[in-house]
Amino acid sequence: MTKLRVGVIGTGSIAGCHLDAYLDNPDVDLVAVCDMNLERAKNVADRYHAQRAYGEVDEMLADPEIDAVSICTWNNTHAEFAIKAIEAGKHVLVEKPLSRTYAEAQAVEKAVAGSDRVLQVGFVRRHSPNCQVLKSFIDEGELGEIYYAKASCIRRMGNPGGWFADKEISGGGPLIDIGVHVIDLCWYLMGSPKAVSVSANAYNKLGNRSHIKTMPRYRAADYDPEKNSVEDMVNALVRFENGASLLLETSYSLHAPKDNLSVSVYGDKGGADLEPGLMIATEKHQTILNVTPQLASSTFQLKEGFQNEIDNFVAACRGEAEGLSPAWHGAEIMKIMDAIYASAESGREVSLV
Ligand SMILES: NC(=O)c1ccc[n+]([C@@H]2O[C@H](COP(=O)([O-])OP(=O)(O)OC[C@H]3O[C@@H](n4cnc5c(N)ncnc54)[C@H](O)[C@@H]3O)[C@@H](O)[C@H]2O)c1
């Protein structure tokens, strides 16, 4: 079978993770990269030995020698570029979040439904071995019925600046940027239940903390400390149709003594911490047991996660595997996040039925 010919749209910070993984996949030919900053695109094309560098997305999508694209641009472009790419006959891997709003996500879903192309959402943490092992235990019924999940994704050092801090471009702050990962992990492990109501709070108390110079932070390719129109902290309670619930907290800036990333799910036969390290709790012979699956790493590893995500996408495009994160999953997560913002805005519970 011939190689999948790939183009990468957006050549900023996260694009490197996609490009490294494409280069390490023997079934891929990296054809082109594209960025509205053409200089950046050219430099990245040189570094990764891509044949072409484009400054315009439409030009890249018109390239008949490209079968599939990764979309690694700002959130305000995700839905538009994904739809255009599908219409141009390309398979699509679009970075998280799928879009800025649920309405945009529904438009993507519609475009995908009317085509025979693959669209995958970049929920990279699903592809981590700790998540896949836990998912297989859950699918075999080892935890019983999952009725509660809890996730915390706390950064304390401030937002990544630039477009991440501009609500019009990003769609929101830590919720849509980093909270999205842990909401998705819980929802995926819970078996993709339908959300029925959301109660949430959003705060903007500490701002972007750009005055703090002593700690490193994730930065947009174009960091600009002047921009800051997004929330810095969100908490939320999501109820699902099957009676299960999810408790979430996420921040860019918080007076917390340390960053935290934790994800747990609890069922009537067992529970598990996925992060900060996979461990399963259950009981046997009137005794509580903590069981630790032995993995090369019990926690998410960036390089491994992206390699698995890209390998899964490439295999799905070639018809050799089922993609792990279809468009409707991305849309359901957007529906929950839209409701979280709406509840925080109104100060009331939002019903989704
Ligand atoms: N999966 C993850 O863990 C993860 C981590 C970080 C970022 N991301 C996602 O990746 C995306 C990019 O984030 P980043 O940190 O790389 O941002 P970035 O600002 O570093 O890079 C984005 C690039 O997109 C380019 N771009 C923006 N709009 C464009 C347009 N209309 N046409 C062409 N190029 C355009 C910019 O010039 C820039 O080079 C975001 O959606 C973000 O949510 C995902």
Side-chain angles (χ1 to χ4, degrees), residues 9-16 18 34-37 40 54-57 71-78 80-81 95-97 122-125 155 160-161 163-164 169 176-178 180-181 218-222 300 302 306 309:
I9 306 174
T11 55
S13 304
I14 209 62
H18 289 241
C34 170
D35 201 292
M36 63 184 182
N37 181 332
R40 189 174 290 153
Y54 291 104
E56 276 289 333
V57 170
I71 299 176
C72 300
T73 45
W74 304 341
N75 298 350
N76 63 329
T77 62
H78 288 189
E80 179 195 338
F81 290 174
E95 260 304 343
K96 50 50 59 176
F123 291 133
V124 65
R125 286 174 174 271
R155 279 189 200 160
W163 71 268
F164 282 98
I169 300 178
I176 206 165
D177 180 33
I178 52 178
V180 62
H181 281 299
Y218 184 86
R219 283 186 178 217
D222 306 290
F300 172 76
L302 191 75
F306 274 99
E309 175 181 82

Side-chain angles (χ1 to χ4, degrees), residues 65 74 79 198 279 333:
E65 291 179 353
W74 304 341
V198 170
M279 187 180 295
I333 299 300

Side-chain angles (χ1 to χ4, degrees), residues 56-58 61-62 69 71 77-90 92 111:
E56 276 289 333
V57 170
D58 290 346
L61 293 178
V69 293
I71 299 176
T77 62
H78 288 189
E80 179 195 338
F81 290 174
I83 292 167
K84 279 184 172 175
I86 291 286
E87 287 174 354
K90 316 296 185 195
V92 175

